[in-house]
Amino acid sequence: MKFVLPALGSVAAVALFAFSTTQQSAVAVERPAYDDTFEQLELFADVLARVRSQYVVDVDDSELIEDAMNGMLASLDPHSSYINAEAFRDMRMDTKGEYGGLGMEVTMEDGFVKVISPIDNTPAKEAGILAGDFITEIEGKSLLGATLSEAVGQMRGKPGEPINITIVREGEDPITLDITREVIKRQIVKFEDKDGIGYIRISQFNEKAANGLKDAIASLQQEYGGKIPGLVLDLRGNPGGLLTQSVQVSSVFLDGGEVVSTRGRRADDVNVYNGEKGQMAKGVPLVVLVDGASASASEIVAGAVQDRGRGILMGMTTFGKGSVQDVIPLRGGRDGALKITTQRYYTPQGRSIQGGGIAPDIAVSAIPDDGEERQRFSESSLPNAIANEDDEANLAEELTIDYPPEDFDVSDDYQLQKAIELLKSGTYAEKLAEVQG
Amino acid sequence: MHKALKGILLATCLALPLSATADDEKKPEAIYDQMEVFANVLSIVQENYVEEVDTASLIENALNGALSSLDPHSSYVPPVQFVEQRESARREYGGLGIEVVSEDGYVKVNHALEDGPAYEAGIRSGDLISAVDGVVIKDKSLDEAVSGMRGPEGEPVTVTVLSPGEIQRDVVVTRAIVRGRAVRHRVEQGVGYIQIETFTNDNLTRDTKRALADIERQLGGDIPALVIDLRGNRGGLLTESVSISGLFLDGGEVLSARGRDGSDHQRYNAERGELYPDMKIAVLMSPGSASAAEIVAGALQDRGRAIVVGRRSFGKGSVQSVIPLGQSEGALRLTTQKYYTPSGKSIQGRGILPDVLVAFVEDTGEIRSRFREDSLRNFLINPDETDYEEKYEDIIYPPEDHPDDEDFQLNKTIEILKTSQYQTILDAQDERF
């Protein structure tokens, strides 16, 4: 359906950063016959020529063009952007895990860099950075208006090099932190036994996610002498990653069949992704933990498990990123790359999660009820977010939320406790039938 | 942030449409190469984006991306807005007399002119407008929102207003030809006082002369001392700043503007003949005083004609040209020059440092950072590195028991004008320059 033209080089799309469910495909370039394109390009060239000749100081042409492309792509949606040659090289390096960084997933909000989640066992996590923090300054310089890739570029550097960042947390004075960069190794799948119930946490959907999960399942099976009595799959704070990995991860719990479908602009541009046969964790009672920071590939897994009735979703409503980006190298990456939203995806029952997210079957809050309606930071809070075509999907259902008691120690993980409680109570099957009902 | 930016952009219409000669001295191949990358990206987006895209709006966003990266005052003006701006320069439409900004999808009243019909109908700055004649304007562009408010003079408009802490209400406002009163004047403690709110008014100099004549009459034939209050004045027309300065100077330079190559060096001189040559003058400045306001303060200070009191000003020392682009393709607002006070200083990113630093609010134990040009991203850096910062210990603060409704800066200024301090400060200027 799609072709890789030689002009685009042989590098297919790679993506390994926050919020991108990226397809491993590149896109055909045909020059569309838009009548006014030529005129518009002429206008653009005219402005550039005037800037070069009349601006009050000398300007750098390539910076000017880069800012133009960023302005254009950022106007489309929050996930489309231009990646310059240098950033693209870095990005490819990321897939090898060979850079010094702080270890957090970030996005852009109100012109500032916002932390989606700090990654476990990284300098960011150890320094106490929390999901929702705004990074306002790096080395005393304001980040206001900087692009996400500029900000990320500044945070990266040689392992061992210190960096000074200022964070702003709602209702508190700005905090300045000195953090030492480290090689960020992503141990993305962790597992352990919790009171006789298997617990697996996937922190990101990179290439190692599905294999990591399979290894974890195998180890747990061995630990329990064959069959795992119950399993908690923790996708909280997981910002997503590769679409293909989310399909493979779902296959561990589903015996073939549809996991997700994607649709592009043209009616014929439909892809259905089916799970592999096999279902390694067949028959294991499953609770999937999600929260507002579970996005993209996480939502694909959660949506498939929910729609196919394979497990119970517990936690809070997910982020709501229901779009797929392609990363298209320009001139083999020498001109950088273009990341654009090309498709939306749909759960097996045809739901789009864009904007609305996936509501849990059992809503459980991580923090005690403080009486305030908490505003959820979600896809629809992002400027220029693509709207869901289905109006009803945006009508958030009123959830009955189970809050921990007021004096509950948040580090005791109320949501996980509830998940284990359910799996051990003997009422799992009953509950599963009920939420299906 | 956005509010302030918007205000500055509105205020900076310096009428200098340059003839557009785009003769490139740089290697043209480089830009063609870059253009190719851009054209490639555009066609990929047109072909593959998840939704239909509008090429014109993509280009508009691209232009804004490129231009806003240059400096905070350069931008692309799309065709519709450009036509509107030209109309608003003619000032022949009826309006409500409010300055609005967009905030979180709402249209917010930034300023309601006290002489305007909206103010009369009870609309105040800070109010949110959710609908005009029943048409909801929430999440509409500012242009769309404003176009509904404009129309023939004398026609009523129903505006749905949300005041902070109140229930939404409908207010009927009758459109009027709105022209902000640019000058207010009075006699204050025996001293003449004129307040200039904006330089975006081509009757400003005439009105100022009238104001001075009235003060003279009230004081019985002479004005011994005058306060020119430019606090919060965000600028406006360059020509008005030159003619206002000219009222108090006997010829000579008010400012000069220079572009990238020395050739487009322009010098603006005051007219010969000054009003009230023996009158003491103090100019009041605040961090919100920008552009044309800084030209006046800079000229009168550099030329030793006035003392400047208050806080360091905004620091916008650049001139924008509005360059029309072809037929109905909008215009380019581009920073083409920097301007310099008569002593050759650029106020870009620095502002005018008052002779006497006086604060409006009480001492909090530290110098509070204020929003100025140098707070803007990508502001043009001034190569001049001489010290221009305000020092905490140099600032005179109102005493703790100072009543809130008293204008400490003004009182302090009048006190200086009435004593020998004035001459001492004026003499000290010579040492500074």
Side-chain angles (χ1 to χ4, degrees):
Chain A
M1 182 201 60
K2 287 178 178 172
F3 311 94
V4 181
L5 288 191
L8 288 174
S10 55
V11 188
V14 280
L16 238 187
F17 36 89
F19 281 110
S20 69
T21 298
T22 302
Q23 269 182 286
Q24 303 263 359
S25 68
V27 174
V29 180
E30 300 157 37
R31 246 168 233 289
Y34 292 105
D35 283 345
D36 60 351
T37 297
F38 185 71
E39 259 172 57
Q40 291 291 339
L41 279 172
E42 235 179 17
L43 165 67
F44 184 76
D46 185 21
V47 169
L48 285 194
R50 285 167 202 258
V51 169
R52 298 174 98 218
S53 64
Q54 295 180 341
Y55 190 63
V56 67
V57 291
D58 270 315
V59 291
D60 179 332
D61 292 337
S62 57
E63 274 178 32
L64 206 57
I65 296 268
E66 190 178 322
D67 289 319
M69 291 192 285
N70 269 325
M72 176 168 81
L73 295 166
S75 74
L76 292 171
D77 66 66
H79 311 291
S80 295
S81 64
Y82 170 70
I83 303 159
N84 69 26
E86 199 185 333
F88 187 54
R89 264 198 305 278
D90 286 353
M91 205 175 99
R92 288 198 274 200
M93 233 152 46
D94 277 12
T95 60
K96 297 178 200 136
E98 287 301 312
Y99 67 97
L102 305 181
M104 52 192 166
E105 309 291 352
V106 291
T107 186
M108 207 70 194
E109 194 186 313
D110 293 340
F112 281 109
V113 176
K114 182 164 181 163
V115 179
I116 296 161
S117 60
I119 299 165
D120 295 346
N121 304 315
T122 63
K125 186 93 175 186
E126 273 152 35
I129 290 175
L130 302 177
D133 285 353
F134 282 100
I135 300 169
T136 56
E137 288 175 19
I138 295 178
E139 303 292 349
K141 285 211 180 105
S142 171
L143 281 179
L144 185 63
T147 65
L148 193 59
S149 58
E150 276 167 18
V152 169
Q154 284 176 46
M155 285 189 268
R156 289 196 181 150
K158 288 207 184 88
E161 260 181 9
I163 181 171
N164 174 278
I165 67 169
T166 304
I167 59 170
V168 171
R169 195 169 288 165
E170 213 178 302
E172 288 181 31
D173 286 336
I175 308 161
T176 302
L177 297 168
D178 287 304
I179 308 179
T180 305
R181 293 183 180 96
E182 279 175 20
V183 171
I184 305 301
K185 280 196 212 115
R186 294 172 180 189
Q187 196 207 340
I188 58 155
V189 181
K190 285 193 287 188
F191 67 94
E192 61 185 298
D193 165 68
K194 295 253 188 200
D195 295 336
I197 296 293
Y199 169 81
I200 300 177
R201 173 173 161 78
I202 304 178
S203 57
Q204 205 197 44
F205 285 89
N206 73 7
E207 295 117 330
K208 298 190 177 109
N211 284 337
L213 172 67
K214 287 173 189 165
D215 289 348
I217 299 263
S219 300
L220 285 170
Q221 279 171 340
Q222 207 170 13
E223 204 167 327
Y224 297 119
K227 194 167 184 307
I228 301 169
L231 186 68
V232 178
L233 178 65
D234 188 353
L235 298 178
R236 290 174 299 175
N238 182 329
L242 299 165
L243 177 77
T244 47
Q245 287 293 318
S246 72
V247 176
Q248 288 177 38
V249 163
S250 303
S251 299
V252 170
F253 305 102
L254 300 167
D255 192 22
E258 182 173 334
V259 172
V260 66
S261 65
T262 65
R263 280 176 234 163
R265 188 166 73 199
R266 281 175 299 274
D268 61 343
D269 190 2
V270 178
N271 285 312
V272 177
Y273 294 85
N274 290 313
E276 289 160 41
K277 290 272 184 182
Q279 197 184 15
M280 189 175 181
K282 189 172 183 181
V284 178
L286 176 68
V287 173
V288 180
L289 280 179
V290 290
D291 66 11
S294 305
S296 203
S298 294
E299 298 179 286
I300 291 180
V301 175
V305 166
Q306 194 179 46
D307 278 11
R308 304 268 307 266
R310 175 58 186 86
I312 294 173
L313 242 58
M314 193 182 265
M316 300 296 277
T317 303
T318 61
F319 187 80
K321 178 179 176 290
S323 62
V324 182
Q325 283 72 41
D326 276 358
V327 174
I328 303 164
L330 300 165
R331 232 187 285 182
R334 285 194 302 280
D335 289 338
L338 170 63
K339 184 175 153 216
I340 56 166
T341 303
T342 52
Q343 287 170 314
R344 293 164 187 264
Y345 64 78
Y346 300 83
T347 65
Q349 287 185 9
R351 290 188 288 163
S352 166
I353 60 105
Q354 177 61 26
I358 294 178
D361 299 314
I362 302 172
V364 180
S365 168
I367 50 172
D369 189 4
D370 53 10
E372 272 181 59
E373 186 125 351
R374 211 159 281 276
Q375 207 178 354
R376 200 169 64 99
F377 170 67
S378 71
E379 173 81 5
S380 17
S381 347
L382 298 172
N384 291 330
I386 304 174
N388 193 307
E389 315 118 298
D390 183 358
D391 285 344
E392 276 173 40
N394 283 328
L395 292 174
E397 269 176 70
E398 199 61 46
L399 295 176
T400 310
I401 302 170
D402 175 0
Y403 289 100
E406 232 170 86
D407 55 353
F408 189 83
D409 181 353
V410 174
S411 63
D412 286 341
D413 199 342
Y414 188 70
Q415 292 168 321
L416 178 57
Q417 283 186 12
K418 283 291 177 186
I420 293 168
E421 207 177 290
L422 173 64
L423 286 165
K424 292 180 82 169
S425 66
T427 58
Y428 169 82
E430 198 183 310
K431 198 79 193 167
L432 182 61
E434 185 189 315
V435 300
Q436 303 282 312
Chain B
M1 165 86 201
H2 293 297
K3 191 163 57 176
L5 244 179
K6 177 84 189 170
I8 293 152
L9 287 176
L10 280 173
T12 323
C13 60
L14 298 181
L16 290 171
L18 297 185
S19 63
T21 48
D23 47 345
D24 276 346
E25 289 133 25
K26 290 189 207 166
K27 287 193 297 286
E29 311 89 68
I31 200 141
Y32 286 134
D33 237 29
Q34 300 290 339
M35 272 301 295
E36 207 178 296
V37 178
F38 182 82
N40 190 15
V41 166
L42 179 66
S43 78
I44 294 173
V45 170
Q46 285 174 328
E47 182 68 1
N48 296 289
Y49 190 65
V50 68
E51 286 167 1
E52 290 288 341
V53 290
D54 172 29
T55 304
S57 105
L58 284 176
I59 293 285
E60 186 181 320
N61 282 301
L63 290 174
N64 271 326
L67 295 169
S68 65
S69 76
L70 292 173
D71 68 66
H73 310 292
S74 294
S75 64
Y76 171 65
V77 188
V80 179
Q81 210 180 318
F82 183 48
V83 170
E84 209 157 274
Q85 277 185 8
R86 280 195 291 202
E87 271 174 21
S88 92
R90 279 188 227 119
R91 298 177 151 266
E92 284 305 321
Y93 57 87
L96 308 185
I98 48 175
E99 188 185 306
V100 293
V101 294
S102 179
E103 203 175 279
D104 299 333
Y106 280 98
V107 171
K108 183 177 164 182
V109 179
N110 195 29
H111 182 64
L113 290 170
E114 281 181 34
D115 307 319
Y119 188 90
E120 210 165 281
I123 294 172
R124 294 291 179 271
S125 50
D127 286 353
L128 301 177
I129 297 178
S130 58
V132 175
D133 279 335
V135 180
V136 175
I137 55 170
K138 190 178 181 300
D139 296 324
K140 291 259 173 70
S141 79
L142 212 50
D143 295 337
E144 285 176 273
V146 168
S147 69
M149 298 182 201
R150 287 186 187 155
E153 184 190 359
E155 262 187 15
V157 189
T158 305
V159 183
T160 310
V161 180
L162 266 162
S163 299
E166 282 178 35
I167 309 170
Q168 178 165 309
R169 67 185 195 278
D170 282 347
V171 178
V172 178
V173 184
T174 307
R175 289 191 188 105
I177 299 289
V178 177
R179 163 166 265 162
R181 192 162 57 153
V183 192
R184 288 160 199 282
H185 72 277
R186 64 174 188 267
V187 172
E188 175 83 28
Q189 299 163 48
V191 167
Y193 171 85
I194 60 173
Q195 181 190 21
I196 301 175
E197 280 186 2
T198 172
F199 286 88
T200 315
N201 187 318
D202 45 20
N203 290 330
L204 178 64
T205 307
R206 186 200 67 193
D207 291 352
T208 304
K209 278 187 193 165
R210 286 182 186 167
L212 288 168
D214 190 52
I215 291 171
E216 185 184 338
R217 189 187 51 74
Q218 286 185 46
L219 285 172
D222 183 34
I223 311 177
L226 178 73
V227 177
I228 304 173
D229 189 350
L230 299 179
R231 286 176 296 180
N233 182 322
R234 293 201 162 129
L237 301 167
L238 178 71
T239 47
E240 289 298 323
S241 73
V242 174
S243 58
I244 288 288
S245 305
L247 297 179
F248 308 106
L249 294 169
D250 186 20
E253 182 173 325
V254 172
L255 85 148
S256 63
R258 284 171 231 166
R260 184 161 56 185
D261 42 12
S263 62
D264 55 349
H265 185 156
Q266 277 165 294
R267 184 188 286 250
Y268 297 85
N269 291 319
E271 272 179 47
R272 298 301 302 248
E274 63 178 308
L275 301 171
Y276 316 102
D278 297 326
M279 178 173 73
K280 296 179 189 173
I281 306 176
V283 180
L284 257 178
M285 295 295 272
S286 73
S289 308
S291 205
E294 296 179 291
I295 291 176
V296 173
L300 298 184
Q301 188 185 45
D302 272 15
R303 302 274 306 269
R305 182 61 191 92
I307 64 166
V308 178
V309 182
R311 294 289 303 272
R312 178 164 70 88
S313 64
F314 189 81
K316 180 179 179 294
S318 61
V319 180
Q320 282 68 44
S321 302
V322 177
I323 305 168
L325 296 164
Q327 293 282 320
S328 69
E329 282 181 334
L332 173 60
R333 178 189 293 273
L334 190 67
T335 302
T336 51
Q337 292 177 308
K338 290 188 201 170
Y339 61 75
Y340 300 83
T341 63
S343 66
K345 287 181 302 178
S346 162
I347 61 123
Q348 173 59 25
R350 299 163 62 91
I352 300 286
L353 188 65
D355 299 298
V356 188
L357 288 167
V358 181
F360 190 75
V361 291
E362 281 170 25
D363 190 358
T364 55
E366 58 177 349
I367 196 157
R368 287 200 304 168
S369 74
R370 305 299 297 266
F371 181 77
R372 293 192 176 90
E373 174 84 2
D374 57 4
S375 331
L376 298 169
R377 190 171 111 88
N378 289 332
F379 78 101
L380 279 174
I381 306 265
N382 190 331
D384 182 355
E385 280 173 356
T386 54
D387 198 21
Y388 65 97
E389 290 286 355
E390 301 169 304
K391 292 183 184 54
Y392 168 70
E393 58 272 20
D394 292 343
I395 300 175
I396 304 166
Y397 288 95
E400 256 175 57
D401 55 356
H402 183 79
D404 282 348
D405 54 353
E406 286 276 310
D407 186 342
F408 181 73
Q409 288 177 318
L410 178 59
N411 290 342
K412 195 75 199 166
T413 307
I414 292 173
E415 183 189 312
I416 293 167
L417 284 169
K418 284 179 159 177
T419 61
S420 61
Q421 280 185 71
Y422 176 78
Q423 195 55 47
T424 314
I425 294 159
L426 206 58
D427 291 345
Q429 282 183 346
D430 293 338
E431 289 160 32
R432 268 178 59 195
F433 303 116

